[in-house]
Amino acid sequence: MTVVRKRVSGPFVFPARDIVHRSGEMREFDVDAPAAERWGEGLVAVEQGEPIHLDVRLESVHEGILVTGEAETIYRGICGRCLTDIAQPVEVEFQELFGYPGEEATDFELQDDHVDTGPLVRDTIVLSLPFQPVCQPDCPGLDPNTGERLTSEAAQEPREPVDPRWASLKTFTNDDDAVATRHDAETKEES
């Protein structure tokens, strides 16, 4: 029975044939490639086709190939507070050992003398995406009454009461302006 090996290919697959079992040898790769599919399921994700810049170093060690790298891309989605569209850069670092086949059990393994960093890059980027993304750190969100996006000034302004039956209680405040307004209203009623 012959074993048929599946040919490993893709933009994030790197050849390691010339450094396999040669401890101390190293190769570096600098790649720009699009995401093959949408990465992420929450409010934000790296969309299919989004360019990903990958800077990778392969180092041959006794146990396998040590992969160290950085990935940069842009995630897109909506703000978790005000629901506006956002696009933010994401940069991640990763390091993983790709073990030689048939030796010690590792999470990742060399395949046909190639290192497939695709799943590693995808997992690292997806885990770094924010769970509750915001368009800006102090995003005031939406007005609960109107559903309109609040500006930072509108968020600080006092709001009118929702129920008009409570409006008369506003005259019982200790503010000087409120006392003056109540005094003016009483004076007009007397005249």
Side-chain angles (χ1 to χ4, degrees), residues 16 133 143 182:
D143 185 298
R182 189 174 65 219

PDB file of all heavy atoms in Angstrom, residues 16 133 143 182:
ATOM      1  N   ALA A  16      10.608  24.347   4.190  1.00  0.00           N
ATOM      2  CA  ALA A  16      11.629  24.205   5.231  1.00  0.00           C
ATOM      3  C   ALA A  16      12.571  23.057   4.912  1.00  0.00           C
ATOM      4  O   ALA A  16      13.401  22.690   5.736  1.00  0.00           O
ATOM      5  CB  ALA A  16      10.952  23.978   6.578  1.00  0.00           C
ATOM      6  N   PRO A 133     -15.931  45.948  20.479  1.00  0.00           N
ATOM      7  CA  PRO A 133     -15.174  47.004  19.817  1.00  0.00           C
ATOM      8  C   PRO A 133     -15.876  48.350  19.915  1.00  0.00           C
ATOM      9  O   PRO A 133     -17.106  48.413  19.970  1.00  0.00           O
ATOM     10  CB  PRO A 133     -15.131  46.526  18.361  1.00  0.00           C
ATOM     11  CG  PRO A 133     -16.354  45.698  18.209  1.00  0.00           C
ATOM     12  CD  PRO A 133     -16.570  45.037  19.537  1.00  0.00           C
ATOM     13  N   ASP A 143     -28.535  57.381  22.282  1.00  0.00           N
ATOM     14  CA  ASP A 143     -29.510  57.919  23.216  1.00  0.00           C
ATOM     15  C   ASP A 143     -30.572  56.857  23.440  1.00  0.00           C
ATOM     16  O   ASP A 143     -31.164  56.362  22.485  1.00  0.00           O
ATOM     17  CB  ASP A 143     -30.136  59.192  22.644  1.00  0.00           C
ATOM     18  CG  ASP A 143     -31.073  59.845  23.635  1.00  0.00           C
ATOM     19  OD1 ASP A 143     -32.069  59.199  24.002  1.00  0.00           O
ATOM     20  OD2 ASP A 143     -30.806  60.998  24.027  1.00  0.00           O
ATOM     21  N   ARG A 182     -38.145  79.683  39.265  1.00  0.00           N
ATOM     22  CA  ARG A 182     -39.369  79.510  40.046  1.00  0.00           C
ATOM     23  C   ARG A 182     -39.840  80.857  40.583  1.00  0.00           C
ATOM     24  O   ARG A 182     -41.016  81.173  40.568  1.00  0.00           O
ATOM     25  CB  ARG A 182     -39.105  78.525  41.184  1.00  0.00           C
ATOM     26  CG  ARG A 182     -40.384  78.134  41.901  1.00  0.00           C
ATOM     27  CD  ARG A 182     -40.176  77.060  42.944  1.00  0.00           C
ATOM     28  NE  ARG A 182     -39.336  77.587  44.016  1.00  0.00           N
ATOM     29  CZ  ARG A 182     -38.382  76.903  44.631  1.00  0.00           C
ATOM     30  NH1 ARG A 182     -38.138  75.675  44.298  1.00  0.00           N
ATOM     31  NH2 ARG A 182     -37.674  77.451  45.589  1.00  0.00           N
TER      32      ARG A 182
END
